[in-house]
Amino acid sequence: MSAKITKIKARQILDSRGNPTVEVTVFSGSHFAVASVPSGASTGSHEAVELRDGGKQWRGLGVAKACRNIEKIIFPLLKNVSVFDQEEIDRLMINKDGTVNKSKLGANSILGVSLAIARLASQLKGQSLYFYLAKIYGFKKLSMPTPLLNVINGGLHADSGTDVQEFFFIPKRGSFSQKIEMGSNAINALKHILASKKLSVGLGDEGGFAPKIYSNEKALRLLTAAVHKSKLQLGKDIALGIDAAASEFYDIDKELYSLNSDKKHYKPASIHQLYASWVKRFGLEIIEDGCSEDDFTGWQNLTRVLGSTVTLVGDDLFVTNPARLQAGIIAGIANSVLIKVNQIGTLSETMAAIKMAKKFNYKIVISHRSGETTDDFIADLAVATAADYIKAGSLARGERLAKYNRLLKIAEELKK
Ligand code: PGA
Ligand code: ZN
């Protein structure tokens, strides 16, 4: 079967915040596949560049240039290349861009094409996307990830007034669908607790609640209460975790972490004490971005004190970048990496980061962005790479459920 790329079409669609993003359709003859690109709010400064139009239209966020780059530059480059040559395709786009951060063509342009081609290739082979991805990148084992359910949204994702961006339920026992059910029960209990305290049950960007609580510790107390109310055992059935997204409350000039909601301030040398106390009081099992993206002192202390018992995830720290991850591994900081396809901009570089993490026993968390579409690619990516966790928001909002529902389907397929 001929599997040559015959056409690539790009258009501007909207993400879950109503901001423009890129959707790509790749054709091979009459066959085609579509992929769309997510977008962050608390982006790391070392991420690949999302190309935006600027100017007055769409608040400067239009992606017409990115779409034009796809049709006028990337398509001529890839015309007649086989969709099965994924790594070669990614390399061609990286070289054509020629910058370290994909600022010329835009990581959003390149990623949309990279993902759509993989999806089309899997379709032409008649294989599930997760199966195809595992095969071409040499992952030997397929497995279901544990969901990290972001049930209280704060930071830049909601106006709940917490400095910490995300508070997770981590269901720990049973099959994937049993974990989702446990999560659903605990979320339901949390909703009732919030309502009984006359707190809002409206949702933030990632589908978690956004009650105006103005306190990180109050959020942790609410989550604990919800686990108990749903007759689950904290730490055994469901554990708690956070994404502090600490780059957002770190002042580089003052070298100070300011958790304004709890009126607490920490130097890089002491921020780990706060997390150690939360681990002790609330049994936190995962802390993502506990320190700011370039605060290596903070990260080193945090890893020394909690690294043997707590999963310490680097998101803004590593930005899915194999080079930054390698530097972190050598420095011995964190013990887990967050993987976001649009932080680096191609599927092949994403896989390189995942392989490096596995080689050094860093845990893998595949992640959505706060601005998402209903594209469920990351569900297949998590299964293909046997990732430890997937973080796709709470069990609400269609763009979040698209990922969990795809995983429920894959779980069924894997059972057969
Ligand atoms: P973002 O947030 O998509 O807004 O960057 C997600 C995260 O920090 O994990
Ligand atoms: Zn994060």
Side-chain angles (χ1 to χ4, degrees):
M1 178 206 298
S2 161
K4 287 182 177 160
I5 295 167
T6 54
K7 188 164 117 184
I8 303 181
K9 170 100 192 104
R11 65 165 60 87
Q12 176 171 302
I13 60 167
L14 297 182
D15 72 14
S16 54
R17 276 190 280 256
N19 293 333
T21 192
V22 175
E23 181 192 81
V24 179
T25 310
V26 175
F27 294 81
S28 178
S30 59
H31 300 277
F32 65 92
V34 183
S36 52
V37 178
S39 174
S42 65
T43 48
S45 57
H46 304 284
E47 292 191 23
V49 171
E50 193 176 58
L51 195 65
R52 299 280 184 184
D53 297 337
K56 288 212 176 97
Q57 279 189 302
W58 288 103
R59 306 172 293 285
L61 298 175
V63 291
K65 272 185 212 162
C67 290
R68 226 167 19 244
N69 287 349
I70 291 171
E71 295 187 354
K72 301 278 186 251
I73 302 174
I74 297 178
F75 171 56
L77 180 74
L78 302 182
K79 193 176 173 190
N80 290 327
V81 177
S82 166
V83 294
F84 301 129
D85 294 338
Q86 183 76 40
E87 292 196 75
E88 174 62 10
I89 286 167
D90 288 341
R91 199 162 27 239
L92 283 168
M93 291 193 286
I94 291 165
N95 291 345
K96 185 76 184 172
D97 174 83
T99 66
V100 287
N101 56 5
K102 302 189 176 66
S103 54
K104 193 161 165 219
L105 295 178
N108 43 352
S109 314
I110 295 173
L111 180 70
V113 175
S114 186
L115 300 184
I117 286 175
R119 185 170 270 146
L120 177 57
S122 74
Q123 287 172 13
L124 292 176
K125 290 252 186 219
Q127 294 168 347
S128 292
L129 179 58
Y130 60 85
F131 185 85
Y132 174 75
L133 293 178
K135 214 165 108 210
I136 64 166
Y137 287 102
F139 292 98
K140 300 271 179 297
K141 188 182 116 209
L142 300 171
S143 74
M144 297 303 298
T146 288
L148 302 181
L149 305 167
N150 175 11
V151 296
I152 291 187
N153 294 184
L156 293 184
H157 295 167
D159 56 4
S160 53
T162 66
D163 311 282
V164 168
Q165 178 178 278
E166 304 173 13
F167 297 86
F168 318 135
F169 281 144
I170 313 166
K172 289 169 64 93
R173 283 197 302 110
S175 64
F176 181 78
S177 73
Q178 285 168 326
K179 286 176 180 167
I180 290 290
E181 183 182 351
M182 251 191 279
S184 167
N185 290 341
I187 289 168
N188 200 263
L190 178 59
K191 185 173 184 176
H192 282 105
I193 290 172
L194 292 174
S196 73
K197 293 181 185 296
K198 304 262 182 301
L199 288 164
S200 165
V201 292
L203 305 180
D205 284 357
E206 297 191 347
F209 300 115
K212 293 207 189 312
I213 49 180
Y214 304 102
S215 161
N216 306 298
E217 300 196 357
K218 185 163 182 185
L220 291 167
R221 285 197 296 275
L222 285 165
L223 261 60
T224 305
V227 173
H228 292 147
K229 187 178 164 67
S230 46
K231 306 246 174 331
L232 294 165
Q233 254 185 295
L234 190 69
K236 217 165 184 194
D237 302 312
I238 286 197
L240 306 186
I242 58 169
D243 178 3
S247 304
E248 302 299 333
F249 56 82
Y250 182 63
D251 185 323
I252 295 183
D253 298 326
K254 292 188 188 143
E255 295 189 357
L256 201 65
Y257 291 95
S258 291
L259 290 102
N260 291 323
S261 66
D262 291 333
K263 298 193 177 51
K264 287 186 172 163
H265 303 274
Y266 296 86
K267 285 284 190 194
S270 63
I271 180 77
H272 63 277
Q273 290 166 2
L274 171 71
Y275 299 122
S277 85
W278 286 353
V279 168
K280 205 162 160 205
R281 287 162 60 203
F282 303 106
L284 294 189
E285 291 195 2
I286 296 185
I287 300 172
E288 179 183 331
D289 277 356
C291 298
S292 183
E293 57 195 1
D294 292 314
D295 173 16
F296 290 98
T297 309
W299 271 107
Q300 264 163 347
N301 285 326
L302 185 62
T303 310
R304 179 174 47 78
V305 174
L306 295 178
S308 59
T309 50
V310 178
T311 300
L312 302 174
V313 189
D315 170 13
D316 292 351
L317 175 69
F318 296 138
V319 290
T320 315
N321 184 319
R324 275 191 70 91
L325 177 59
Q326 187 174 30
I329 290 169
I330 290 167
I333 55 178
N335 55 27
S336 174
V337 58
L338 201 82
I339 298 290
K340 290 167 164 167
V341 282
N342 79 323
Q343 276 181 329
I344 187 71
T346 65
L347 184 56
S348 298
E349 290 163 290
T350 303
M351 293 300 198
I354 293 172
K355 282 183 186 176
M356 181 179 298
K358 280 182 179 267
K359 192 169 157 200
F360 291 94
N361 285 321
Y362 274 47
K363 286 192 178 160
I364 314 283
V365 185
I366 304 290
S367 174
H368 66 161
R369 297 309 302 247
S370 51
E372 267 292 337
T373 70
T374 49
D375 192 315
D376 55 11
F377 195 106
I378 61 166
D380 287 74
L381 178 64
V383 173
T385 57
D388 300 279
Y389 301 100
I390 187 163
K391 189 175 92 156
S394 189
L395 300 177
R397 298 184 59 134
E399 75 282 2
R400 314 294 148 184
L401 289 169
K403 283 68 167 173
Y404 295 124
N405 285 338
R406 170 70 184 146
L407 284 164
L408 287 168
K409 213 179 255 179
I410 297 175
E412 253 179 53
E413 282 179 27
L414 292 188
K415 243 189 250 165
K416 282 185 194 145

